[in-house]
Amino acid sequence: MVAAGREGGTDRRSASAIKRRLGRLMMARLVLGVVLLGVALAVIGVGEEGRDAAERGLYATVTCTFVGTLLFVALHGRVRRVARFGAAQLATDVALVTALVHFSGGGESIFVFLYLAISVYGAILFGRPGAYGAASLGALAYGALLLARHHGLLATYGPPPPPGPVQFALWGIHAGAFLLVALLASALSRELDRAGRALDERTRDLAALRRLHARTVECLTSGLLTVDSAGRVTSLNPEAARITGWEATRALGRELEEVIPGALELVERTLPGEEAGGRMRAQLRLHNRRGEDLHLGLSGSILRDEEGAPDGHVVIFQDVTRLVDMERELRRRDRLAVAGRLAASLAHEIRNPLAAISGSLQVLERSAEAGGDPEAPRLMGIVLRETERLDRLIADFLQYARPAPPRTAPVRLAELVGEVLEVFEPSRPPSLKLRVDIPDDLSIVADAAQLRQLLWNLLRNAVDAMPGGGELAVEAFAAMPQEGRGDGRNDPGEGSAWAEIRVHDTGVGISDDVVDRIFEPFFTSKPQGTGLGLATVHRIVEDHGGHLSVESVPGRGTTFRIRWPRAPEPA
């Protein structure tokens, strides 16, 4: 900042503001020089009679105006002491105006009013001190000119000067006018500066508010976009671009239905009444531009203009896919818990009559063999076989509904999978190709018996899915801690190590309406299935603190992914 004067205290103006005003002053001086040159050519003429000393002086003054302006322009960007540079320009202008007045008639010159302009600009540049300083300097220069002409120190151009008292009165009138204009100009300058400072403050506040608004919108963890009354997107934040998969530059101007299909219909249901508050909430599914299927929690509200009239909508949405999955899982667990308690009690009630029926049938079978109905042994065999089948079903269900807690220990996964595959090999169809890829040093924490049962169920399920043959792959690898978090459930804690086991088949696959139910007990699409195999797999994974997911494409195959706690590395 540069000190510019005092007014009941120090009135300071920034150097940059003074520089800008000096630039305007130089432009005004240049325009004035052009005008003066035109006036000189029009009034005085360029004929033979116009080549006297007054005309030459007038043209010299105009030339000095142009040269001085060009010189100041050249120095404008280099000066450091802006206040002194501005004062020098004001003094130069006073000298140029004085010369112009001298060569154009002295006290009766039509250019005396230019002293007033210098006073005004002095007030604009430096406030009250600049106004009074310029006015005083102009009054002194004008008085000195009149005094020099009166005493013959300067040549007289135009009519002879009036008597001394008249010239003194003329000087007094002009000097008073200079000071009066300086007073008014300084007052206006103060008001202009106050308005400028207030405007600068408001501009800074507005800029800060805009930056805060932009940062707030950009940092929102929810997607936010606005649409106009025609349903076209007018703005969207980075989170909205990430969720929808649209780049902001490409989404602007497009219809909301193209960016979020189905959202416009929901948003247009927004009620403008006081009871509804002009808001709506809904949930919809989105297949974004990256090919992801997401669940969105969407909220819309009416966007109003300055007069309060509806002018579009504001749409806020979040990716709630994980929450929807968790809700679905919780509902499934609740159903399973109720079904498990009921079925366990029911299974115990069924087993007792089965034992009595089985014993009675064996007695009947022996009596039939002793000479009864020849069909009795065959019928008794059917009853006994089905009774044993029912007993195995109940035993499997009791194992699912009332499992023993896992006895975990470090297990070398490659060895355990090899043992299971040895048992599986005799029952593997010849048309089934088997591929195994498991690191020898990969160990997990598991109950070996339950893990064998899990793998056996998955292998048998894969065989059933490939009646015409195909490829069955069993893979495993170490997973990074952040990869193993899954959906956040059953997480052993920060920094936990995980392993991922994948069982992939190239079978018939699972349709979308079935894949969400395959882990429910007693749900099966196989004619001879019990619906407990995959339910048992899911329970074993959960009991070990892991996470199970399935990916399936009808006609292309199914992949079961199991995230399992990995055994710590040996010290």
Side-chain angles (χ1 to χ4, degrees), residues 399-418:
Q399 184 180 15
Y400 167 78
R402 192 182 56 189
R407 299 177 180 179
T408 59
V411 175
R412 294 181 69 87
L413 189 57
E415 293 180 2
L416 188 139
V417 172

Side-chain angles (χ1 to χ4, degrees), residues 44 53-61 98-106 109 145 149 157-158:
I44 300 177
E55 294 178 17
R56 289 194 299 271
L58 184 60
Y59 289 132
T61 302
T98 302
L100 185 64
V101 169
H102 171 61
F103 290 115
S104 61
S109 172
L145 174 64
R149 287 168 61 92
Y157 304 105

Side-chain angles (χ1 to χ4, degrees), residues 344-402:
S345 299
L346 184 61
H348 279 289
E349 295 299 325
I350 292 175
R351 294 194 82 178
N352 293 329
L354 279 178
I357 292 172
S358 178
S360 300
L361 289 174
Q362 290 175 11
V363 173
L364 288 175
E365 182 180 17
R366 287 194 296 270
S367 65
E369 291 176 353
D373 186 354
E375 288 292 323
R378 185 178 67 84
L379 296 176
M380 294 304 166
I382 294 174
V383 174
L384 287 173
R385 185 177 67 249
E386 293 303 316
T387 302
E388 291 175 358
R389 180 173 175 272
L390 183 58
D391 187 64
R392 287 196 303 270
L393 174 61
I394 294 175
D396 291 342
F397 180 73
L398 285 177
Q399 184 180 15
Y400 167 78
R402 192 182 56 189

Side-chain angles (χ1 to χ4, degrees), residues 32 52 104 288:
L32 179 63
D52 56 10
S104 61
N288 66 15

Side-chain angles (χ1 to χ4, degrees), residues 25-369:
L25 174 60
M26 289 183 284
M27 181 61 66
R29 188 187 300 116
L30 188 61
V31 173
L32 179 63
V34 174
V35 172
L36 290 177
L37 180 60
V39 170
L41 292 176
V43 176
I44 300 177
V46 293
E48 191 69 25
E49 68 276 12
R51 295 177 181 173
D52 56 10
E55 294 178 17
R56 289 194 299 271
L58 184 60
Y59 289 132
T61 302
V62 173
T63 302
C64 290
T65 301
F66 283 113
V67 173
T69 301
L70 295 177
L71 179 62
F72 283 132
V73 169
L75 297 175
H76 183 257
R78 303 178 182 180
V79 296
R80 295 184 178 179
R81 298 181 177 181
V82 182
R84 293 185 181 182
F85 184 65
Q89 290 204 49
L90 291 178
T92 301
D93 288 342
V94 170
L96 290 174
V97 170
T98 302
L100 185 64
V101 169
H102 171 61
F103 290 115
S104 61
E108 299 180 358
S109 172
I110 61 174
F111 297 113
V112 176
F113 76 93
L114 292 178
Y115 286 115
L116 302 178
I118 298 175
S119 300
V120 171
Y121 221 93
I124 294 175
L125 287 176
F126 304 118
R128 177 178 292 180
Y132 286 126
S136 300
L137 185 61
L140 291 176
Y142 181 61
L145 174 64
L146 294 179
L147 188 63
R149 287 168 61 92
H150 178 74
H151 290 286
L153 300 178
L154 291 175
T156 301
Y157 304 105
V166 175
Q167 292 194 51
F168 180 78
L170 182 65
W171 175 83
I173 292 173
H174 283 91
F178 297 166
L179 293 175
L180 179 61
V181 169
L183 175 64
L184 296 176
S186 62
L188 291 176
S189 177
R190 287 198 309 274
E191 295 301 321
L192 178 63
D193 285 341
R194 290 174 183 173
R197 285 193 296 269
L199 179 61
D200 289 342
E201 292 178 1
R202 298 296 184 273
T203 302
R204 287 193 297 269
D205 292 343
L206 179 59
L209 184 61
R210 286 179 175 175
R211 289 193 298 269
L212 177 61
H213 173 266
R215 290 197 304 270
T216 301
V217 172
E218 289 176 0
C219 295
L220 283 176
T221 56
S222 300
L224 184 147
L225 59 82
T226 58
V227 295
D228 58 19
S229 55
R232 297 186 177 276
V233 177
T234 55
S235 68
L236 73 165
N237 69 341
E239 183 65 11
R242 186 194 67 79
I243 293 175
T244 61
W246 279 90
E247 295 180 6
T249 54
R250 299 189 61 184
L252 295 179
R254 295 182 181 270
E255 294 184 357
L256 178 60
E257 275 299 294
E258 188 176 356
V259 179
I260 306 179
L264 183 60
E265 180 181 358
L266 295 174
V267 170
E268 288 179 344
R269 295 178 186 172
T270 305
L271 300 177
E274 293 295 332
E275 181 178 353
R279 294 185 294 272
M280 57 75 59
R281 298 181 187 275
Q283 189 176 110
L284 58 80
R285 297 192 64 174
L286 170 68
H287 185 78
N288 66 15
R289 286 176 62 85
R290 292 190 298 272
E292 300 170 337
D293 288 315
L294 306 176
H295 291 268
L296 298 187
L298 185 141
S299 173
S301 59
I302 295 177
L303 180 65
R304 303 184 183 276
D305 58 16
E306 293 83 355
E307 299 178 356
D311 191 32
H313 290 87
V314 179
V315 183
I316 302 175
F317 52 94
Q318 288 181 319
D319 179 5
V320 296
T321 305
R322 288 176 55 187
L323 294 178
V324 171
D325 292 341
M326 291 175 65
E327 289 175 359
R328 183 185 298 128
E329 179 68 14
L330 288 175
R331 288 195 299 269
R332 192 186 67 83
R333 289 189 179 189
D334 289 341
R335 291 197 303 269
L336 292 180
V338 173
R341 290 192 297 268
L342 177 61
S345 299
L346 184 61
H348 279 289
E349 295 299 325
I350 292 175
R351 294 194 82 178
N352 293 329
L354 279 178
I357 292 172
S358 178
S360 300
L361 289 174
Q362 290 175 11
V363 173
L364 288 175
E365 182 180 17
R366 287 194 296 270
S367 65
E369 291 176 353

Side-chain angles (χ1 to χ4, degrees), residues 412-418 421 435-443 455 474-477 500-502:
R412 294 181 69 87
L413 189 57
E415 293 180 2
L416 188 139
V417 172
L421 292 178
R435 179 169 58 86
V436 180
D437 183 11
I438 301 176
D440 294 335
D441 59 348
L442 182 59
S443 297
L455 292 172
V474 181
E475 303 171 318
F477 57 88
E500 180 168 312
I501 305 171
R502 296 181 184 176

